[in-house]
Amino acid sequence: MDFREQQDLARRQTRILVGLYVLLLIVAAAAVGGLMWLGLTLGEQAQANQATGSATIPAEATWQAFAWAAGLTGGGILLVTLFRWFTRSDGAKVAKSLGGRELTGAGETNLSPAERQYLNVVDEMAIASSLPRPRVFVLDQESGINAFAAGTKPENAAVAVTQGALDHLSRDELAGVVAHEFGHIANSDIKLSVRVAAMVFGFTFLFFVARWWFHVGVGPGRRDARLRIAMLVGAAAIALVGLLTVFFGRILQAAVSRQREFLADASAVQFTRYPDGLKSAFEKLKGGASSRVESDAAAEMNHAFLFRAGGARLFDTHPPLEERIRRLEGQPSA
């Protein structure tokens, strides 16, 4: 496997997908701006007609209304996005929320042979990746084979594997799995994941705009019945734009996550110089071993796990195992 070529490919595709997010933001702001401009123009036209019997709104005024509406909509989406953008995720808190037991620090005493081996593998990968040793956890109650990394920067990162991974993976397979998680830390994938989720969350601002526009339409005041209907239709259209942007945003979010999984696979090969370890772990899953995580918090963290932890496949954040194995074998993508 040419892991550097795979890393370059995954990074290029991630940049393209983030660019599509920006395009989606512009389209959403323009669409909502246009709808609000239409409603404002109709309102001003109706008021002018009532006052003078006939009036025409200058084209310059209508374009100004559009610019203000689009600008305020885009600005609102960006503010909501930035609110989530700078959210800091502490890896240890995430691991504990999933039922993780810490092995580092005070937990390093009375370790089982499998846990000691796991800790040794983590130390080896920390050296190979030139990263500080993260806090290390095991999910004792999880019998499926899985692992994840959490934390928005190396200093607050944590790595966790399930008890099933310790029970059923060989040392080489475990090293490949842990190296994959170190790949996420080295490539700042957790931070990227938080920021991409923030972008999708930002589009929910459109629902607040739709609600406000609805209340303006049905609220008190002297308005022509046709104008009220137009404003209610506009509110529904804005809500539809919000629904579509969140829907397509989730699709792009899943696509970004899949590319980062490929990148972490390539990084694991870089750190271990042994693709067969991770490949063998993938083949165990392909052969029918379970990767399910039973914790109630697993659904929210599904994107962070090495393997799909459960949930709906509509917005799958993990590439097919067959494709991941092909890439590890150095075969061209299907």
Side-chain angles (χ1 to χ4, degrees):
M1 177 190 185
D2 186 343
F3 62 82
R4 296 195 186 281
E5 181 181 340
Q6 294 291 342
Q7 287 173 326
D8 291 341
L9 176 63
R11 288 191 178 105
R12 284 198 304 271
Q13 292 179 335
T14 299
R15 285 194 292 269
I16 291 171
L17 291 166
V18 172
L20 288 174
Y21 267 113
V22 175
L23 179 61
L24 190 60
L25 170 63
I26 294 171
V27 170
V32 174
L35 290 167
M36 294 181 69
W37 160 79
L38 180 61
L40 291 170
T41 301
L42 288 173
E44 292 178 1
Q45 183 72 64
Q47 289 178 351
N49 286 340
Q50 288 177 357
T52 64
S54 177
T56 301
I57 300 174
E60 181 181 353
T62 60
W63 279 109
Q64 286 177 349
F66 169 77
W68 273 103
L72 290 173
T73 301
I77 293 173
L78 286 174
L79 284 175
V80 174
T81 297
L82 290 173
F83 175 76
R84 283 293 186 91
W85 185 283
F86 293 105
T87 299
R88 292 189 177 184
S89 172
D90 181 76
K93 288 183 179 179
V94 174
K96 289 175 182 178
S97 73
L98 289 161
R101 173 174 59 88
E102 187 167 8
L103 303 185
T104 41
E108 289 192 45
T109 58
N110 301 319
L111 297 179
S112 70
E115 291 169 349
R116 174 58 62 187
Q117 175 179 265
Y118 167 39
L119 211 54
N120 291 341
V121 166
V122 170
D123 288 335
E124 292 169 10
M125 293 306 111
I127 294 170
S129 62
S130 300
L131 290 170
R133 181 215 242 185
R135 295 174 71 174
V136 182
F137 291 81
V138 60
L139 307 184
D140 294 301
Q141 304 303 315
E142 303 294 347
S143 59
I145 299 174
N146 224 318
F148 72 88
T152 51
K153 55 185 179 179
E155 291 75 18
N156 67 11
V159 170
V161 301
T162 59
Q163 186 62 46
L166 295 183
D167 292 341
H168 301 297
L169 296 181
S170 68
R171 193 185 196 284
D172 286 339
E173 291 166 346
L174 183 63
V177 166
V178 171
H180 173 99
E181 301 309 329
F182 268 85
H184 282 308
I185 298 171
N187 298 318
S188 299
D189 289 340
I190 301 100
K191 181 185 290 186
L192 177 64
S193 177
V194 168
R195 291 182 173 180
V196 169
M199 293 179 188
V200 176
F201 182 76
F203 290 126
T204 61
F205 175 74
L206 298 180
F207 296 114
F208 293 100
V209 175
R211 184 178 178 181
W212 171 75
W213 201 238
F214 173 83
H215 284 296
V216 170
V218 301
R222 297 178 59 186
R223 293 188 183 90
D224 182 76
R226 290 173 298 179
L227 176 59
R228 287 183 181 273
I229 293 173
M231 294 184 75
L232 293 178
V233 171
I238 292 171
L240 179 61
V241 171
L243 183 66
L244 290 174
T245 52
V246 171
F247 176 78
F248 287 111
R250 287 285 305 278
I251 291 175
L252 287 171
Q253 181 182 13
V256 169
S257 180
R258 289 193 294 271
Q259 291 305 315
R260 304 314 282 192
E261 290 299 321
F262 286 133
L263 179 57
D265 289 347
S267 296
V269 176
Q270 178 184 1
F271 299 152
T272 62
R273 302 288 172 168
Y274 187 66
D276 288 347
L278 185 58
K279 174 189 167 187
S280 179
F282 287 163
E283 288 174 338
K284 281 189 176 178
L285 269 294
K286 185 181 175 184
S290 173
S291 64
R292 185 170 182 81
V293 176
E294 299 296 339
S295 170
D296 293 336
E300 185 178 351
M301 288 295 297
N302 188 47
H303 65 279
F305 281 95
L306 172 60
F307 305 114
R308 190 170 174 273
R313 291 185 177 272
L314 180 60
F315 304 107
D316 208 337
T317 55
H318 293 72
L321 285 172
E322 294 80 3
E323 176 63 19
R324 298 174 80 172
I325 291 170
R326 269 197 299 270
R327 294 198 181 198
L328 287 172
E329 291 175 340
Q331 298 180 23
S333 301

